[in-house]
Amino acid sequence: MSSDNSSSLKAYVDSATGLVQSALGTLTGSTADKAQGEQTRTNAAASHDSSHAVGKFGPIAVSPSGGVSQDDPARAEGSWNQTVGSGKETLGNLVGSQDLKNQGIQQNAAGKGQEAQGQLSDLGNGMGDRVQGALGAGLAGLTGDKEGQAKYQDMHDDGKAKLRSAQKDIEREAQ
């Protein structure tokens, strides 16, 4: 799946390399080295952003490396319960029903818990799949098992999609 080599670690290394190269260019008076260092840092920033990108299509997430994952069902159920709970709360306010308003508040709170549980599940599973995929691909590569290497790379990429999807939703809700 992954022919795109976008990686946070690689981006950090490239950024540090560009910083050193730019500093050396400044110290030596070489505008070419300084410019190349700045370009390396710019490319590293773009690579970092790319490695954290994810396309969301409802409960389906796709990463730039081609990984695909489906959100934990608790995330959608929790979101639905939050929406219905907010509606009940609003309706309770409009018609003056404290009981309906309280039901809405409780359902909204329960939905937030469900969604958070699904997000934590996706974070954990995504990290686990990335680690298992990276280790498996590395071992398969050492033994020359190209088919196994591809299988584990797919696992890594799918884990990345799951992880980035959960992170994106958590960041969105934090704003």
Side-chain angles (χ1 to χ4, degrees):
M1 243 186 226
S2 179
S3 61
D4 170 21
N5 223 359
S6 61
S7 150
S8 296
L9 179 59
K10 182 179 182 320
Y12 291 131
V13 170
D14 288 350
S15 182
T17 301
L19 181 64
V20 169
Q21 189 174 21
S22 179
L24 287 174
T26 300
L27 288 173
T28 62
S30 171
T31 56
D33 282 345
K34 184 175 179 182
Q36 188 173 2
E38 290 302 319
Q39 185 60 49
T40 301
R41 289 181 66 203
T42 300
N43 292 345
S47 177
H48 178 269
D49 290 346
S50 173
S51 98
H52 284 80
V54 66
K56 289 280 289 184
F57 309 99
I60 304 297
V62 180
S63 71
S65 57
V68 178
S69 74
Q70 183 168 351
D71 291 350
D72 185 293
R75 290 171 67 181
E77 292 167 11
S79 182
W80 173 253
N81 279 324
Q82 288 176 66
T83 302
V84 171
S86 292
K88 286 180 180 179
E89 186 178 355
T90 301
L91 186 58
N93 278 330
L94 288 173
V95 298
S97 171
Q98 189 61 38
D99 186 47
L100 185 59
K101 179 181 175 181
N102 289 340
Q103 285 178 15
I105 291 170
Q106 289 174 353
Q107 188 169 0
N108 191 346
K112 287 179 182 179
Q114 278 180 299
E115 187 176 21
Q117 182 181 22
Q119 289 169 340
L120 287 174
S121 174
D122 282 348
L123 281 170
N125 290 334
M127 282 190 262
D129 287 349
R130 286 188 76 184
V131 169
Q132 185 179 356
L135 293 174
L139 289 174
L142 289 174
T143 62
D145 179 5
K146 297 292 183 192
E147 188 176 304
Q149 193 174 10
K151 179 186 99 173
Y152 281 112
Q153 185 62 50
D154 288 348
M155 177 187 285
H156 172 273
D157 293 346
D158 292 347
K160 183 175 184 174
K162 185 174 289 294
L163 179 67
R164 297 296 186 227
S165 169
Q167 287 173 329
K168 181 177 181 178
D169 287 350
I170 290 168
E171 288 170 4
R172 177 183 40 89
E173 290 169 11
Q175 295 175 348

